[in-house]
């Protein structure tokens, strides 16, 4: 993109991102229905996607050549902050986005035109989605100790907030006595070490660096909290793009499913690629794990619908699991 086009897009993206963020959590708000802009490159269909300094199956699928032989290619539109990804996907400013299930549910409930089309990351005991760290001298060892303390996590409205609050309530913690602040994952370790937070929830790959810090200790992972049920991080697409370009959606889902399976089969090679992309030393890189074939199942989605209803963020019965996802474009999914 030219400098002028990039500036224009960023300005529009920022404005629409604010609208989308407000709409996601407003009781009766609706999202703008901006049209998806699809550019043809020869006989190729391109889809707009963020270019962020992170590990992602879209980037990996392209590097591994899994888009070759298809008519679909990513068109990277520059860096997009994580909280904006789902709002922008739900209004068509970007065509695909990968963020946690509760954000998609909230967007759908607010009128957003978005659908989960592929499962993404999953939590394993040996490969958690996120880990919980404290300083070794903190005196924190059990859930109740967190009352009156400050917890740092990467964003509100996603897994770190809702998995943690659900688990706290199950363990008798008064959530109103806990202070939550937003700290990017790559800064969370240092913020904890310096005493600005009392507990840090850190996602892979940066959780691996905190695991090796001599000043910190890991208390739990999300696997310990819910057995991994809240750890699915799916890929979603804008509804208009899905309707107008079903083959492109099928190409994307097929490519990233291959990429996810490659990561599962080659975890050490994947760690090397993560290290290179994130500029994180290999010894500090936590591995990723992905849902087999990226086939979406309903329990992780229902989990977050239930959580959002209990938290008062979603009107009971307003959305169902079928409103949130489809496996229609995944060749590995069995017809039901």
């Amino acid at each position: 993109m030219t400098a002028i086009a990039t500036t224009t897009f960023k300005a529009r993206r920022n404005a629409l991102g604010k609208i989308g963020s407000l709409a996601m959590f407003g009781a009766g708000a609706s999202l703008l229905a901006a049209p998806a802009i699809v550019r043809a490159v020869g006989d190729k269909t391109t889809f707009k996607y963020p270019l962020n300094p992170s590990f992602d199956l879209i980037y990996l699928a392209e590097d591994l050549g899994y888009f070759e032989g298809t008519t679909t290619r990513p068109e990277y539109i520059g860096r997009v902050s994580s909280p904006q990804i789902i709002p922008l996907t739900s209004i068509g400013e970007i065509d695909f986005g990968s963020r946690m299930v509760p954000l998609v549910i909230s967007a759908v409930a607010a009128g957003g035109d978005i659908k989960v089309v592929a499962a993404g990351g999953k939590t394993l005991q040996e490969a958690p989605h996120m880990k919980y760290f404290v300083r070794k001298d903190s005196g924190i060892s059990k859930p109740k100790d967190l009352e009156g303390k400050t917890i740092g996590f990467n964003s509100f409205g996603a897994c770190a907030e809702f998995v943690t609050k659900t688990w706290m309530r199950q363990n008798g913690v008064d959530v109103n006595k806990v202070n939550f602040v937003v700290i990017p994952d790559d800064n969370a370790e240092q913020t904890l070490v310096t005493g600005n937070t009392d507990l840090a929830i850190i996602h892979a790959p940066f959780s691996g660096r905190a695991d090796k810090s001599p000043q910190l200790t890991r208390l739990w992972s999300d696997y310990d909290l819910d057995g991994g049920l809240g750890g699915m991080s799916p890929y979603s697409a804008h509804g208009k793009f899905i309707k107008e370009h079903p083959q492109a959606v099928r190409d994307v889902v097929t490519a990233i499913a291959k990429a996810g399976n490659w990561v599962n089969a080659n975890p050490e090679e994947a760690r090397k690629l993560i290290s290179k992309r994130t500029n994180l030393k290999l010894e500090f890189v936590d591995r990723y794990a992905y849902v087999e074939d990226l086939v979406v199942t309903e329990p992780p989605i229902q989990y977050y619908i239930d959580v959002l209803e209990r938290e008062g963020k979603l009107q009971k019965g307003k959305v169902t699991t079928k409103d949130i996802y489809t496996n229609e474009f995944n060749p590995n999914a069995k017809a039901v």
Side-chain angles (χ1 to χ4, degrees):
M1 298 176 71
T2 66
I4 294 174
T6 300
T7 301
T8 301
F9 177 83
K10 285 183 176 178
R12 188 179 181 207
R13 186 187 72 199
N14 289 338
L16 287 169
K18 293 178 181 177
I19 293 170
S21 296
L22 289 172
M24 280 176 61
F25 296 104
S30 61
L31 292 173
L32 297 178
I37 301 170
V38 181
R39 298 173 178 83
V41 180
D43 58 349
K44 300 292 192 291
T45 297
T46 64
F47 62 93
K48 300 186 299 297
Y49 198 76
L51 185 61
N52 287 343
S54 60
F55 188 71
D56 190 289
L57 292 183
I58 295 289
Y59 313 146
L60 179 61
E62 188 175 36
D63 289 344
L64 293 175
Y66 292 156
F67 286 110
E68 296 301 322
T70 76
T71 59
T72 306
R73 295 291 184 276
E75 178 192 348
Y76 298 120
I77 49 82
R79 186 167 183 168
V80 177
S81 66
S82 293
Q84 288 187 335
I85 288 175
I86 293 305
L88 289 172
T89 305
S90 71
I91 60 175
E93 282 296 302
I94 54 181
D95 299 314
F96 286 84
S98 179
R99 286 278 280 155
M100 296 300 291
V101 173
L103 295 167
V104 181
I105 295 170
S106 296
V108 170
D113 191 8
I114 185 172
K115 185 84 74 172
V116 168
V117 294
K122 69 175 179 180
T123 284
L124 300 176
Q125 188 167 17
E126 65 274 20
H129 178 69
M130 53 190 179
K131 298 176 180 177
Y132 293 67
F133 297 93
V134 296
R135 292 182 302 280
K136 288 183 176 178
D137 61 357
S138 70
I140 298 171
S141 63
K142 59 185 183 299
K144 263 291 194 181
D145 295 335
L146 295 172
E147 292 184 355
K149 300 297 193 295
T150 296
I151 294 178
F153 55 35
N154 66 352
S155 68
F156 284 97
C159 54
E161 177 184 5
F162 293 127
V163 168
T164 302
K165 286 182 176 179
T166 297
W167 171 79
M168 283 180 168
R169 291 193 173 101
Q170 290 169 348
N171 284 274
V173 177
D174 185 346
V175 175
N176 294 321
K177 293 182 179 178
V178 180
N179 181 38
F180 294 91
V181 296
V182 174
I183 307 290
D185 280 305
D186 55 348
N187 296 331
E189 176 192 343
Q190 186 59 31
T191 304
L192 179 59
V193 167
T194 56
N196 291 297
T197 56
D198 300 297
L199 180 142
I201 305 172
I202 308 178
H203 292 74
F206 299 102
S207 50
R209 185 174 61 192
D211 249 336
K212 292 183 169 55
S213 170
Q215 296 164 287
L216 304 181
T217 187
R218 189 209 320 173
L219 294 182
W220 312 289
S221 75
D222 62 312
Y223 187 88
D224 301 318
L225 273 57
D226 64 13
L229 192 58
M232 186 180 76
S233 180
Y235 285 78
S236 302
H238 181 55
K240 184 176 175 64
F241 188 90
I242 292 172
K243 293 181 185 72
E244 294 184 349
H245 303 280
Q247 184 57 50
V249 178
R250 194 168 291 108
D251 289 342
V252 172
V253 172
T254 301
I256 62 177
K258 289 180 180 178
N261 290 345
W262 182 90
V263 172
N264 291 343
N266 301 276
E268 291 308 309
E269 287 301 310
R271 287 181 65 243
K272 292 175 184 177
L273 293 177
I274 296 167
S275 174
K276 182 177 180 181
R277 184 164 189 87
T278 61
N279 292 318
L280 187 64
K281 288 184 179 179
L282 180 60
E283 64 181 300
F284 296 148
V285 173
D286 259 348
R287 61 169 284 201
Y288 285 78
Y290 290 94
V291 174
E292 287 75 11
D293 296 325
L294 299 195
V295 175
V296 183
T297 57
E298 293 194 357
I301 297 174
Q302 187 63 53
Y303 169 87
Y304 278 115
I305 290 176
D306 294 341
V307 168
L308 288 169
E309 289 178 349
R310 286 197 302 268
E311 293 287 334
K313 303 291 186 181
L314 179 67
Q315 180 183 339
K316 190 169 181 62
K318 186 175 179 63
V319 299
T320 68
T321 56
K322 298 298 186 185
D323 298 323
I324 305 302
Y325 84 100
T326 179
N327 279 317
E328 177 185 353
F329 304 98
N330 192 327
N332 305 298
K334 296 179 181 177
V336 294

